[in-house]
Amino acid sequence: MTENVVPLFKTPVPDPGTIPAPDPAGPPLTLAPPTPGPTLTARSIRVLKSTCRAMAAAVTADRTKSVARMLACNGLYVFGGARIAFRRAWDGRSGSRYQRMIRAAEASGNWEEAKEWEDRLHRFRADRHRRRMDLIKAPQDVARNALYALGVSIGGLLGLGIILAIANEDPADILGPLTAAVELIRWVTVAATVVWGPLVTVGPWAVLAALWGLGRQRQAAPAWALPAQHRDDAGAPITPSIVVTALRDLGIAPLRNAIKEMGDAGAGMLGPIRIAGCGVEVDVTLPSGVSTAEVTGRRRKLAENLGRHEHELFPTLAPAARTVRLWIADSGALDEPIGPSPLVTDETATANYKTGRAPWGQDLRGDAAVMSLYQRMLLITGLSNQGKTAALRALALYLALDPTVEFRIADLKGVGDWGMFDGLATTLIQGPTDEHVIEATLMVEGLVAEMERRIQAPAGTVFTPLVGIVDEAQVAFMCPAVGEDKRPFGGSKATSRYFMAVRKIHNQGRAVDVLLWEGTQDPTDQNLPKLVREGAHTRVSLVLGTESQARMALGDKAVDGGAAPHLLRQGLDKGTVVVASDGIKIPAGQASITVRTHYIDTDQAAAVADRAKTRRAGVTTRTHTDTGPTTDPLADILAVLGDSPRVLTHDVLKRLAALNEQAYGDWSFADLKEVLEGTGAEPYKSDGRMTIHRERLARVLANRPDTDSASAAD
């Protein structure tokens, strides 16, 4: 079979000018056939291609890259060492070091230190000028001193020779010491001549070795050329150089330039690096022109520069001005659980509502995080299944150990998370339906009634604490149910029964020890109104999805100060909360604190609840709210008006209380106005006093689609 051949080179075409003209009389000219050039067979092409692929693979192999990186790294060590040695020599011979320190002091705004370094620079220049003036006269002084030393040496040797000649009675000994000295000089010259050749040969290599060692010690090579163990510093211990480098590479130009100009390479910005729990803490004083917000706003990049994950760095504001406090966790330390709660391990634990503090967990520094609950409304929020109920229940279990505290609880999830409070709470509602929301609303309105009763009590009356807890409160706010009085139970308007009851407790409940704790998830303006979340004294947040939700949960001040629940890891940071409250110790200058709460499971919670029950007399727990007999406020108001066309509101309240003490005994003018508002029969002023008109109210009842009320009006 004939192989296909590919011509490698074409036969060159001759230049037409070099071809001789044909002779007309001679034979015709014929061109010789072209000589075939070298050719490549298909097999040769395949071999060439495989060779190229092998060469490309060899060039791009990891071993080749490692060898090339090693050669480049060791070569660059020499240049880096030379640069460092030159800079050290230049710093020693010039005032550049002082100038860098002056610029660093000016960048940090320390003008007194800048002036001190400037004075040192002036003294250095004066001393250098004096030394240079001395060098000008140095040749004369050296020559004079050399001649003097030579004369003294020769005289001394001759004197020694004379002494020897006298002692030995031989005049030839006079030149003996001088001859010995000349011979010694000759041998020293011979030795130097012998050593000089190898020294000249080895000396440059010794200098290169010294420069290489200096560069290797200081890692004076680009990051891409360094060995892997030097480039991968994830999880490495935090040192001042690592912190300064991380700040320098943060991408803030004024900060980078200020660090370059500092004589100490930025070390002056750092305070002592202190061990703080499962990490370290350091204060960074920023140079002039760099704001704390610029640094705290680049948390992820700063954490990565430090060799940490984002959740392992917590930047906050320190008490000193223009200072950022960095808490840097040990790599992986935050993934390890903390110990059990003291409520579980200490069976003799007690509680005191007024003076005690609940053992809730540990802060990031490893210190115990204890919470004061005295006269504080509480709001805790977060995404679903992140430990919200367990964190809230832990506080309630502590307070349950104080037998003077009464609980009224509505669990609108209804899966048994609060079942252990059966026998502790006077009211325990469990369930997610609209009927359970109605019961929870009536429970909160009962807290309002008790609050108003206490407010009207004589001064100095001491009340026992009453704590209402509504878990999954977003269910109540989103409930579409409407009562018989046409008022919705849910919502966030002035007609919303649950919303208005919560607002009343927030406004006045604290003064008479009537408190309300709420737990919600995934906060929005619809399921957690602004007035409700701002009414809480203690605001707690677990992991959230966005910064806007974090601001809803904790407030703008806490988030602007460094609180970042939206940067916690969903599913991995369960039970970790960010707290904004004056009931917990927060470092000076900060607006919040991060706490890793103790987890108390359902069985452990039941055991703590059983201990609390032994400290109390038998408590009967109601699973629904007793609303008493059904009343019709409008019909009752019309009834107490009698036949009078107008009655003062003050008298109407007295008559209503006499008619039904249980329903109207604690009514105020605000309650009366709220019932009549929007009906067309609102109280109005007559002769300067608030009055209710009977005919208007009768007309309202007559037009209402209720036959019994219409009959009453007649």
Side-chain angles (χ1 to χ4, degrees):
M1 181 175 179
T2 304
E3 286 187 322
N4 296 325
V5 295
V6 178
L8 182 61
F9 302 101
K10 294 182 178 179
T11 302
V13 179
D15 188 0
T18 62
I19 300 176
D23 186 2
L29 294 177
T30 58
L31 294 176
T35 303
T39 59
L40 285 179
T41 64
R43 181 180 300 175
S44 300
I45 293 177
R46 289 195 297 269
V47 171
L48 180 61
K49 289 182 178 179
S50 62
T51 303
C52 292
R53 285 195 296 267
M55 293 178 62
V59 171
T60 59
D62 292 339
R63 181 177 298 180
T64 305
K65 293 181 179 179
S66 300
V67 172
R69 184 183 296 115
M70 181 190 67
L71 295 175
C73 179
N74 286 277
L76 292 171
Y77 278 160
V78 177
F79 290 100
R83 179 177 55 82
I84 295 172
F86 174 78
R87 185 169 184 177
R88 288 178 178 177
W90 179 258
D91 287 345
R93 301 292 298 176
S94 67
S96 59
R97 177 180 301 174
Y98 299 93
Q99 293 172 353
R100 287 199 304 270
M101 298 302 293
I102 292 172
R103 289 194 296 268
E106 291 176 347
S108 61
N110 193 339
W111 305 109
E112 295 182 358
E113 184 178 355
K115 185 177 183 302
E116 180 181 352
W117 281 108
E118 188 175 3
D119 294 339
R120 293 183 182 181
L121 177 60
H122 288 321
R123 291 195 297 270
F124 169 79
R125 287 174 174 171
D127 294 340
R128 185 179 60 184
H129 178 73
R130 185 171 58 255
R131 290 193 301 270
R132 289 177 176 176
M133 292 296 102
D134 293 340
L135 286 176
I136 295 176
K137 299 184 299 180
Q140 301 175 5
D141 295 339
V142 169
R144 183 171 58 252
N145 293 334
L147 291 175
Y148 176 77
L150 181 62
V152 170
S153 299
I154 294 175
L157 292 174
L158 290 175
L160 179 61
I162 293 172
I163 294 173
L164 291 175
I166 295 173
N168 296 329
E169 297 180 354
D170 186 1
D173 291 341
I174 295 176
L175 299 177
L178 187 60
T179 303
V182 172
E183 188 68 15
L184 177 62
I185 294 173
R186 187 179 70 84
W187 280 108
V188 170
T189 303
V190 171
T193 304
V194 172
V195 174
W196 179 254
L199 185 63
V200 171
T201 304
V202 176
W205 295 103
V207 173
L208 289 177
L211 295 177
W212 177 86
L214 179 60
R216 183 175 181 274
Q217 179 185 6
R218 297 290 297 273
Q219 294 296 304
W224 60 266
L226 291 175
Q229 62 267 26
H230 296 298
R231 288 183 286 112
D232 185 12
D233 58 352
I238 299 300
T239 61
S241 61
I242 290 178
V243 177
V244 172
T245 302
L247 293 169
R248 183 197 65 194
D249 298 338
L250 202 53
I252 303 175
L255 179 60
R256 181 178 63 253
N257 295 335
I259 292 175
K260 288 182 178 179
E261 293 176 355
M262 291 181 181
D264 55 0
M269 298 191 305
L270 307 184
I273 298 180
R274 305 176 295 273
I275 296 177
C278 57
V280 296
E281 187 178 69
V282 59
D283 288 348
V284 180
T285 302
L286 301 177
S288 178
V290 181
S291 68
T292 55
E294 290 181 283
V295 176
T296 57
R298 305 193 182 194
R299 173 179 174 179
R300 173 175 295 181
K301 187 172 184 179
L302 180 57
E304 292 173 350
N305 290 349
L306 291 168
R308 295 294 189 271
H309 295 290
E310 185 177 10
H311 69 276
E312 294 175 330
L313 171 67
F314 288 84
T316 55
L317 302 182
R322 213 172 65 244
T323 302
V324 176
R325 176 166 294 169
L326 303 178
W327 185 86
I328 309 162
D330 297 336
S331 185
L334 295 182
D335 296 330
E336 300 176 1
I338 64 174
S341 170
L343 298 179
V344 176
T345 58
D346 185 5
E347 296 185 356
T348 63
T350 59
N352 188 294
Y353 163 73
K354 186 173 183 179
T355 61
R357 291 179 175 267
W360 207 17
Q362 294 179 358
D363 61 16
L364 297 178
R365 295 163 183 80
D367 300 329
V370 292
M371 173 80 75
S372 173
L373 304 172
Y374 177 62
Q375 291 188 345
R376 287 181 175 87
M377 309 292 174
L378 187 144
L379 172 66
I380 181 170
T381 185
L383 299 181
S384 178
N385 193 30
Q386 298 302 309
K388 168 179 55 64
T389 297
L392 181 60
R393 187 176 62 190
L395 297 176
L397 286 172
Y398 166 78
L399 214 53
L401 296 175
D402 184 347
T404 64
V405 179
E406 177 186 353
F407 289 98
R408 299 182 187 180
I409 301 174
D411 175 17
L412 298 182
K413 184 189 299 180
V415 295
D417 290 337
W418 296 87
M420 69 288 301
F421 278 81
D422 190 357
L424 279 176
T426 55
T427 300
L428 180 59
I429 300 166
Q430 301 182 87
T433 66
D434 290 348
E435 288 73 17
H436 293 99
V437 172
I438 294 173
E439 293 290 338
T441 302
L442 296 176
M443 182 195 79
V444 177
E445 290 178 341
L447 294 175
V448 174
E450 175 63 18
M451 175 192 71
E452 293 177 345
R453 184 190 68 81
R454 294 184 178 190
I455 291 175
Q456 296 174 2
T461 304
V462 179
F463 303 104
T464 58
L466 174 58
V467 179
I469 301 175
V470 181
D471 196 10
E472 306 295 341
Q474 76 279 355
V475 178
F477 285 111
M478 302 301 291
C479 178
V482 179
E484 295 181 356
D485 56 356
K486 308 302 180 183
R487 295 177 60 198
F489 287 93
S492 58
K493 296 182 179 180
T495 56
S496 169
R497 294 180 61 174
Y498 180 80
F499 171 74
M500 292 305 299
V502 171
R503 288 292 300 134
K504 289 179 181 179
I505 296 175
H506 282 177
N507 289 338
Q508 296 179 304
R510 173 181 173 275
V512 290
D513 290 317
V514 177
L515 307 179
L516 182 63
W517 298 354
E518 291 180 288
T520 69
Q521 63 175 263
D522 200 11
T524 65
D525 284 328
Q526 289 72 37
N527 63 24
L528 188 59
K530 180 179 180 181
L531 293 177
V532 171
R533 56 184 187 252
E534 290 185 349
H537 305 100
T538 297
R539 301 171 71 170
V540 183
S541 176
L542 294 99
V543 57
L544 290 172
T546 63
E547 181 179 338
S548 61
Q549 288 184 319
R551 293 184 181 276
M552 291 181 189
L554 300 175
D556 292 336
K557 180 181 179 182
V559 175
D560 292 338
H566 55 290
L567 296 181
L568 297 174
R569 301 167 297 167
Q570 185 174 0
L572 298 177
D573 290 325
K574 285 186 177 182
T576 300
V577 298
V578 182
V579 186
S581 171
D582 61 350
I584 191 170
K585 184 179 179 181
I586 297 178
Q590 300 182 22
S592 64
I593 187 172
T594 302
V595 176
R596 303 171 70 195
T597 60
H598 296 294
Y599 176 66
I600 304 176
D601 61 31
T602 303
D603 294 337
Q604 294 171 338
V608 176
D610 290 340
R611 295 206 311 265
K613 292 174 185 177
T614 61
R615 301 172 184 268
R616 300 169 179 253
V619 176
T620 301
T621 300
R622 299 192 304 271
T623 58
H624 66 280
T625 305
D626 184 10
T627 59
T630 303
T631 59
D632 186 349
L634 293 180
D636 290 342
I637 293 173
L638 182 62
V640 300
L641 290 179
D643 297 331
S644 302
R646 295 187 301 272
V647 179
L648 299 176
T649 54
H650 181 69
D651 295 334
V652 171
L653 290 173
K654 289 183 178 180
R655 296 177 186 181
L656 286 173
L659 176 66
N660 190 335
E661 175 66 25
Q662 181 179 359
Y664 306 116
D666 56 353
W667 267 36
S668 63
F669 173 74
D671 297 313
L672 181 61
K673 181 181 179 182
E674 183 179 351
V675 170
L676 296 174
E677 188 174 3
T679 62
E682 295 87 349
Y684 66 97
K685 278 192 176 183
S686 177
D687 296 331
R689 306 180 69 181
M690 298 303 294
T691 307
I692 297 177
H693 199 284
R694 183 185 185 283
E695 183 178 351
R696 295 179 184 175
L697 183 57
R699 189 181 305 114
V700 171
L701 290 173
N703 295 331
R704 191 170 68 174
D706 187 340
T707 55
D708 294 338
S709 297
S711 301
D714 293 335

